[in-house]
Amino acid sequence: PLLTSFSLKMPPIQVPAVAGEGEALSHGYDYDVVVIGGGSGGLAASKEAAALGAKTAVLDFVQPSPAGSTWGLGGTCVNVGCIPKKLMHQAAIIGHTIEDAESFGWDVKKPANPEWSKLVEGVQNHIRSLNWGYRVALRDKKVTYLNAYGTFVDPHTIHTVNKRGKEATITADKIILAPGGRPRYPDIPGAKEFGLSSDDLFSLPTDPGRTLVVGASYVALECAGFLTAFGRDTTVMVRSILLRGFDTEVAQRIGDYMALTGTKFLRSATPSKIEKLESGKLKVTYTVDGEEASDEYDTVFFAIGRDACTGSMNLEAAGVTVNPKNGKVVANELEQTSTPHIFAIGDVLDGKPELTPVAIQAGVLLARRLVGGAVAQMDYANVCTTVFTPLEYGCCGLSEDDAIGQHGEDAVEIYHQSFTPLEWTVPHRPENVCFAKLIVEKATDLVLGFHFLGPNAGEVTQGFGIALQLKATKAQFDNLVGIHPTVAEILTTMHITKSSGQSAMATGC
C-alpha cells in the first residue's frame, strides 16, 4: 500500500566525512545515494548530494529508439527535447526575419529552404559539447557515473548491465528514481518499423521531406511549426483537440495561426496502418470522420504522448507503487515513494509537471533534505512553461477552463486582448493574432492564470511568473508601468473583459 503521510523533515544521511576509497560506509551499503537516470533532475540531485558529502553514484543508459537512435549523458531535454527543439525553432525564426528584411530596406534574398544536414550538424555538435560537459561536471563533483541499465533486486540492491553486457550489483542507503520517459507509439502495423519520434528527428541524417505529424501535443505542434517554416509540406493528424491540458482558447488560436501560415491539419483522424512502398514512400492508411483514406509521405512522426520508463526496472522488488494507468511513480509531497528510502523526481513522478526546471529544482531540494538536513520542498504550484510553436505560448497558473471548473464561472473575470507587435507592422504580418489573457478571482482580485501568445513568450512569462508566485492582484498588474514599445506591456493595460462583450481587437500602437 502507498504511504500517504510522512514527517516533513526527513532524517538526513549521517555524513560527517566522505568515506575514502575502499572504506566502508556506516550503513553498510556501497553508496549513500544512488540516482537512476542521468537526465536533468538526476544529474542535479546527484551533484548536490555529492557536494554535501554523500558518496553518490548516477546510473544512465539510453535504450535505442525503434529507429535505432541513441545519445549521450543528459537525458531528454538536452539530447532530444528542449535544446534541439529550441535551436530548430530559432532556425525558423531566422527564416521569418530574412523574409521581413526587405520591408526594412535590406537587400536580402531568402534561400528556398535551410540545408537540413547542416542544421542537424550544428545542433548535434552543440549537444555533444553539453554531453561532455556533464561528464566533466560529475567527475569534478566526485559523482560515480555508471553507463549501465539498472533494475531492482530488492529495495536496497540494484543490478546493472552496461552496453557490453557486463553485469554488476550495487547497493545504496537512499535511492532516487529519475528515469524520465520515452515517446509512445500507436499500436498499429508499421508504427515502430517505419515511424519516427522526437527521439529521432533532431539527428535525422536525411531531409524529412513531406511529413505527417501524428498527435496534437506541444511536441507535435512545435515540430510541425518549424518543419513548415523550413518549407517542408507538413500535415498534423489530430484525433480530438490541440494541446490537451492547456488553455483551450489559446490552443485554438495556435492552430488557427499555424494553418494560416502553411501547416495542414487533418482533423478527427487516426492512423490504422503504415506501409513502405517500393518507391521508399510511406503509405499511411487512416480513418477520418468514420471513412477510410490514405496518403503518402516521406516521414511519419509520432508525438502522441510519452510513457514513464518504469516497466523494466522491476520496481515490484523494491516495493514501489506505480499508477497502473500510466506507469508513473506515486509519491507524497516530499517525493517519497511507498518504500520510505526510495524517492522519485522528474517526468516519472505521477501528477507533476513534465518540465526540466521542475526536475532540477526538485532534485536539488530533495538532495538537500536527504543529505543536508534541510526542510524546503518543491512547490509545484504556479510553474511557468512555454510552448515554442510558431506563435510562442507562455502560461502560468490556471487555464480559463480550470479556473471556471475550480471556482465557478461567476467567480472569475477574464481579461483579454489581441495585439500586433510593432515589428510586424512594416512587413505586414497578420494583425491581431497575438493574444494575452489574465484570469482573475473576482472576490480577491487575485490573478489565477496568465496566458501570453506572441514573440518571446518564454522571456515574458519568466518575468511575470514571479508575480503569480507572490500572489499579485489585477490592480498591481494595472499599477505597473509598461515599457514602450514592447509586447509585454500589453499585460499592464488590459481592461477589456469577456463578460463586457467588447471586442478584444487592438487598435493604434
Side-chain angles (χ1 to χ4, degrees), residues 31 64 99 115 134 160 167 258 267 348 356 468:
Y31 294 94
E99 288 176 345
E115 187 179 333
Y134 291 133
T160 70
E167 301 182 40
M258 290 180 67
R267 302 275 186 165
V348 77
T356 295
L468 269 71

Side-chain angles (χ1 to χ4, degrees), residues 28-87:
Y29 299 110
D30 298 328
Y31 294 94
D32 293 312
V33 177
V34 164
V35 180
I36 301 178
S40 302
L43 292 177
S46 64
K47 289 186 290 185
E48 187 69 14
L52 292 169
K55 185 179 181 183
T56 306
V58 59
L59 280 74
D60 187 66
F61 188 87
V62 179
Q63 301 276 19
S65 74
S69 300
T70 59
W71 48 88
L73 182 63
T76 297
C77 175
V78 168
N79 293 283
V80 291
C82 324
I83 297 301
K85 176 268 302 292
K86 181 71 182 294
L87 290 173

Side-chain angles (χ1 to χ4, degrees), residues 305-498:
R306 297 175 67 83
D307 292 320
C309 295
T310 57
S312 58
M313 292 180 67
N314 197 25
L315 292 177
E316 298 87 351
V320 173
T321 299
V322 299
N323 183 336
K325 293 181 179 180
N326 57 22
K328 290 194 171 190
V329 176
V330 180
N332 66 7
E333 68 279 4
L334 295 173
E335 291 87 41
Q336 189 175 34
T337 73
S338 49
T339 301
H341 68 274
I342 299 178
F343 301 79
I345 58 172
D347 293 3
V348 77
L349 197 54
D350 191 40
K352 297 298 187 289
E354 296 182 6
L355 297 168
T356 295
V358 170
I360 291 171
Q361 184 144 318
V364 169
L365 292 175
L366 174 59
R368 289 174 182 171
R369 293 198 304 274
L370 293 181
V371 182
V375 297
Q377 60 193 88
M378 179 66 193
D379 180 3
Y380 289 97
N382 289 333
V383 173
C384 298
T385 190
T386 293
V387 181
F388 290 99
T389 37
L391 265 186
E392 296 178 9
Y393 168 35
C395 59
C396 186
L398 298 180
S399 66
E400 180 177 345
D401 319 77
D402 289 342
I404 291 173
Q406 292 181 25
H407 297 269
E409 189 170 5
D410 295 335
V412 296
E413 190 70 85
I414 311 299
Y415 293 83
H416 61 163
Q417 181 71 64
S418 297
F419 64 95
T420 304
L422 176 64
E423 297 85 348
W424 288 23
T425 57
V426 173
H428 302 292
R429 288 211 204 173
E431 296 181 355
N432 279 308
V433 294
C434 298
F435 180 71
K437 176 195 288 191
L438 292 177
I439 299 157
V440 179
E441 186 179 34
K442 289 180 180 178
T444 62
D445 201 40
L446 189 70
V447 177
L448 302 174
F450 164 103
H451 302 270
F452 181 90
L453 183 64
N456 304 305
E459 313 300 335
V460 173
T461 304
Q462 185 71 81
F464 277 95
I466 194 169
L468 269 71
Q469 281 217 333
L470 296 175
K471 303 188 183 306
T473 63
K474 177 61 167 63
Q476 289 171 323
F477 269 73
D478 295 341
N479 196 45
L480 179 66
V481 177
I483 301 171
H484 186 69
T486 65
V487 291
E489 68 177 313
I490 194 71
L491 294 154
T492 69
T493 59
M494 296 177 67
H495 63 276
I496 299 173
T497 63
K498 278 195 174 182

